[in-house]
Amino acid sequence: MIEPTTSDSSLTKFLEKRGEGLHHICLEVDNIDAALEEMRDKGAPVLDQQPRPAAEGRAIFLHPKGTNGVLLELIEKAD
């Protein structure tokens, strides 16, 4: 479960537009750089040009338009 920390965050806007429910699914990968390259090579709609800092490591997001309507996060956890 997550909740917005500011009134102008993307999560706040999501909740205002869609209400409560599934926001995204996160999958752990061993190598985020390799995952990003693979997603690009396969034509996946990657939202990130490079991995972004995440609470537990580095992550990329895939646009819901290419993942059957679900925002997908891939994360490589920090050691």
Side-chain angles (χ1 to χ4, degrees):
M1 297 183 72
I2 58 176
E3 68 178 280
T5 56
T6 63
S7 62
D8 61 345
S9 72
S10 61
L11 185 53
T12 299
K13 293 172 187 163
F14 176 90
L15 289 170
E16 289 171 351
K17 184 175 181 181
R18 295 184 178 87
E20 295 179 355
L22 177 69
H23 181 264
H24 74 277
I25 295 175
C26 181
L27 302 172
E28 185 177 355
V29 298
D30 291 330
N31 184 321
I32 196 67
D33 297 301
L36 175 57
E37 184 177 341
E38 181 179 353
M39 293 299 104
R40 284 185 183 147
D41 289 348
K42 292 184 176 186
V46 181
L47 293 174
D48 299 289
Q49 297 302 311
Q50 60 186 9
R52 64 174 78 188
E56 295 186 4
R58 298 184 314 140
I60 62 171
F61 284 86
L62 303 177
H63 196 285
K65 290 181 180 178
T67 56
N68 292 320
V70 177
L71 180 63
L72 187 63
E73 177 183 14
L74 303 181
I75 187 168
E76 174 189 84
K77 289 189 173 183
D79 292 330

